[in-house]
């Protein structure tokens, strides 16, 4: 399948062109869906066996990363670094001033896969919520994970919705396609939403959507974050 993209006006800079590419509408594959694809191709292992092995692999990588190791595979390389300034040579790590960061780099197989990507241009509906960035305000993680019951923020354009309309709002869609609506709204502006993540959400991947009747539109338009969010275990 091709990588779908559209062009959106470049509101940040006029240098080098008036439009930028926005990727959207592409399929999301979880570990379970990938295993199902493997089995359909005739793999001799069962779905349960494959998921068990992958979980062991994930646990091993997680342990190595937690120990500060560099993990290098055919798909990716992940290493750790420290962000923040130190006052002098005797200064030490302080969680209030410094932060451990993870650095990811595509491996050889992903680089080769990128070269094979086919593209398909589509016409974007500009009058729809555009989710530029999600931030878990309890951890400052962006576009990666969220903490149930904790505050979060979305930045973008055309985000404001009518909170009195039960069909509009912020929604999280689980892998089984069940939906959970955000009930506690703190800030509702066209460029920024602040809210409390539903505390009943459990481990798994979630698609984040904003549904709103934007200015000069008569029907609900939907915008979604480009990548799924992972619920942090409480």
């Amino acid at each position: 399948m091709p990588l779908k993209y559209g062009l959106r006006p470049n509101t940040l800079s006029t240098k080098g062109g008036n439009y930028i590419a926005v990727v959207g509408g592409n399929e999301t594959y979880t570990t379970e869906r990938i295993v199902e694809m493997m089995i359909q191709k005739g793999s001799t292992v069962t779905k349960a066996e494959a998921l068990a092995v992958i979980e062991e692999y994930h646990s091993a990588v997680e342990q190595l990363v937690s120990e500060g190791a560099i993990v290098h595979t055919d798909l990716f390389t992940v290493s750790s670094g420290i962000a923040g300034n130190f006052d002098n040579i005797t200064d030490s790590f302080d969680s209030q001033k410094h932060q451990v960061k993870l650095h990811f780099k595509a491996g050889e197989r992903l680089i080769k896969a990128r070269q094979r990507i086919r593209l398909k241009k589509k016409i974007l509906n500009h009058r729809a919520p555009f989710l530029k960035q999600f931030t878990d305000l309890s951890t400052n993680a962006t576009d990666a994970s969220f903490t149930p019951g904790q505050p979060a923020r979305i930045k973008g354009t055309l985000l404001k919705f009518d909170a009195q309309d039960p069909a509009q709002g912020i929604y999280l869609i689980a892998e089984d396609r069940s939906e959970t609506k955000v009930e506690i709204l703190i800030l509702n502006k066209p460029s920024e939403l602040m809210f409390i993540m539903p505390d009943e959400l459990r481990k798994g991947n979630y698609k984040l959507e904003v549904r709103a009747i934007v200015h000069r539109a008569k029907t609900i338009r939907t915008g979604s974050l480009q990548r799924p969010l992972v619920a942090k275990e409480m």
Side-chain angles (χ1 to χ4, degrees):
M1 65 188 70
L3 176 65
K4 302 172 185 175
Y5 76 98
L7 299 183
R8 183 182 298 275
N10 185 357
T11 59
L12 298 178
S13 173
T14 58
K15 295 180 180 180
N18 298 319
Y19 288 82
I20 57 174
V22 177
V23 173
N26 299 286
E27 286 279 352
T28 298
Y29 279 80
T30 62
T31 299
E32 188 164 336
R33 287 193 67 185
I34 293 172
V35 169
E36 289 172 352
M37 184 176 72
M38 291 164 49
I39 294 174
Q40 289 172 0
K41 288 184 176 180
S43 175
T44 58
V45 299
T46 66
K47 179 179 178 180
E49 290 171 339
L51 288 172
V53 171
I54 291 173
E55 175 56 31
E56 290 296 328
Y57 177 82
H58 286 170
S59 295
V61 172
E62 181 181 358
Q63 179 181 340
L64 291 170
V65 170
S66 70
E67 295 172 354
I70 298 173
V71 177
H72 176 71
T73 73
D74 291 341
L75 292 178
F76 63 88
T77 297
V78 57
S79 59
S80 303
I82 297 176
N85 295 321
F86 292 80
D87 296 332
N88 50 59
I89 195 65
T90 61
D91 199 6
S92 298
F93 184 91
D94 182 344
S95 60
Q96 300 299 316
K97 300 188 299 181
H98 311 116
Q99 186 178 12
V100 175
K101 297 278 190 177
L102 294 180
H103 304 293
F104 292 88
K105 182 179 179 182
E108 183 178 349
R109 295 187 67 164
L110 288 185
I111 291 173
K112 290 181 178 178
R114 181 187 63 191
Q115 297 169 350
R116 298 195 302 269
I117 293 176
R118 294 180 294 110
L119 300 175
K120 180 179 181 180
K121 186 178 179 181
K122 63 179 184 178
I123 302 300
L124 290 182
N125 180 356
H126 297 300
R127 305 301 301 170
F130 175 59
L131 284 64
K132 183 177 180 182
Q133 184 183 72
F134 169 88
T135 303
D136 180 345
L137 294 177
S138 66
T139 64
N140 288 324
T142 58
D143 299 337
S145 61
F146 68 88
T147 308
Q150 297 299 312
R153 178 178 64 212
I154 300 171
K155 287 190 174 182
T157 58
L158 299 177
L159 298 176
K160 187 175 182 178
F161 58 87
D162 182 358
Q164 303 304 314
D165 183 352
Q168 299 184 53
I170 306 166
Y171 291 82
L172 289 113
I173 298 92
E175 295 176 85
D176 62 3
R177 291 179 169 75
S178 61
E179 298 184 351
T180 303
K181 185 179 180 181
V182 168
E183 299 294 344
I184 304 177
L185 186 65
I186 302 172
L187 186 66
N188 188 5
K189 291 185 176 182
S191 61
E192 184 177 7
L193 301 174
M194 287 183 63
F195 50 95
I196 302 297
M197 297 297 292
D199 59 9
E200 66 267 28
L201 298 177
R202 293 297 176 259
K203 182 179 179 181
N205 295 323
Y206 292 84
K207 181 181 180 181
L208 180 66
E209 290 186 352
V210 174
R211 301 171 188 173
I213 299 179
V214 301
H215 182 57
R216 296 202 301 270
K218 297 182 179 180
T219 59
I220 291 179
R221 307 285 176 84
T222 300
S224 60
L225 199 65
Q226 293 301 310
R227 58 181 297 176
L229 298 173
V230 180
K232 293 178 68 69
E233 292 190 73
M234 299 295 291

